Amino acid sequence: MRKIAAHWQIIIALVASVIFATLLKQFGDAGWVATFLKICDLLGDLFMQALKMIIVPLVVSSIIAGLAGMAGFDGFKRMGLKTLAFYGITTLSAVVLGLVIVNVMQPGLVDGQPNAELRQVFDNSGEQLSDEDKARFEEGQQEKAKDWTSIFKRMFPPNIIKAGAESQLLGLLVFSLLFGIAMTQFPAKQMQPMRDFFQALNDVMIKITQWIMVFAPVGIFGMMVVTIHQNGAAVFQELGPYFVTVLIALGLHLFVILPILLKVIGKINPLDHFRAMKTALLTAFSTASSSATLPITMRCVQENAGVSKQTASFTLPLGATVNMDGTALYECIAVMFVAQVMGMQMDFAAQMLIVISALLTSIGVAGVPSASMVAILIIMNNCGIPGANNAIYALFIVDRLLDMTRTAVNVFGDSCAAVVIAKSEGEQLYQNDKKAF
Ligand code: ASP
């Protein structure tokens, strides 16, 4: 029997989950519905946790194996500068795009005046959130709502084992980079066992990723049924213009800005790249987590696009940690939207403060669902926007679909950097007939 391609399997799972979740609603609170949802939840959790399980060894081994294969420190420095420059350009263009769209569409205003109905939605939103969700949100907030300097502190975790245990990618990344670079400073023969070890570890992790992906349609189906079933909140309707604004801006970044950059800077055909990345994009969309998607992104970039291990293992973990175009764009729109609803005038200086805050905080946002909510709250408080706490609840309730979309944009942005840098290093791309997924 012919095997259905992985991306089709995921698409079928997504469609089936929408149908099932809609049907389930017809049965209300019947006892078996709760059991079915529990099983779906379990399947979704198993899939997500399996992906997360391999992130730490995968990131560490691929960075170290990749760097150890690089010709000394100069190659690393060149690639590092190029990657950071590309990430800087794409994130800045995303933020500016978000700002332009939100100023043009003004989703928080009606006939030029603050939308009073939305203000009421904000005021009541705390009541719509279950106690459990509130506690979850507040816990995350306390933990991360420190100021932006914490991003820099996280680069050097005092305990690397603890950083691994907490999947603190930024700290692991810096440690692995230092480790790999240090290896290049010794005679090749002396480091050979270490190089072989990390290479072998990386190969094993890739094999496990393949196995986990067999389970992807089932896991995604389970996760999506639960998500769709839970997200019936009434505030959806009222926030319609906001949804449209965010989706238009994300769509423009994904389908216009990034393809133009691919074409102009990398001389790459964007269609080839979309084709190579389709399974990673669908996984990012389904899981709303760029960290959990990282193993799939790495495989798609290496095996479908043809990027070398060195380039992919440097650019992608770095991107999954610090480069979030969709998130930066979203933060900007969310803050401006709340300011509009609350009737706060944002002059040029205030908007520039948002741009800078969105750039900085998007670096520190973790690649997990709804992580940017905390960053949005920090920016709103910095800008002195009234009623920020209530507004954030409203945004949190309707976050999932927007989160899924911005995560796909985040992942695509990282992959664009990988292929553009690979091209500039003279690598041959998109010539592999045997695709990974
Ligand atoms: N869910 C996003 C990601 O994983 C982060 C966010 O914007 O909340 O990339």
Side-chain angles (χ1 to χ4, degrees), residues 284 287-293 320 323-324 326-328 330-331 365-374 376 399 402-404 406-411 414:
T287 58
S289 168
S290 36
S291 291
T293 310
N323 179 53
M324 295 199 175
T327 294
Y330 178 68
E331 287 177 13
V365 167
V368 296
S370 289
S372 48
M373 289 294 134
V374 179
I376 293 169
D399 190 43
L402 300 181
D403 195 7
M404 291 159 71
R406 67 178 180 262
T407 306
V409 176
N410 288 345
V411 166
D414 300 343

Side-chain angles (χ1 to χ4, degrees), residues 345-363:
Q345 293 297 330
M346 302 299 274
D347 58 13
F348 184 74
Q351 300 209 16
M352 282 308 107
L353 179 65
I354 298 182
V355 168
I356 295 167
S357 313
L359 281 176
L360 280 177
T361 53
S362 73
I363 298 174

Side-chain angles (χ1 to χ4, degrees), residues 62 65-67 69-71 79 302 308-315 427:
S62 67
L67 276 181
M70 231 180 237
M79 194 179 286
Q302 287 180 63
S308 70
K309 183 186 279 302
Q310 272 100 316
T311 309
S313 61
F314 176 72
T315 51
E427 294 176 23

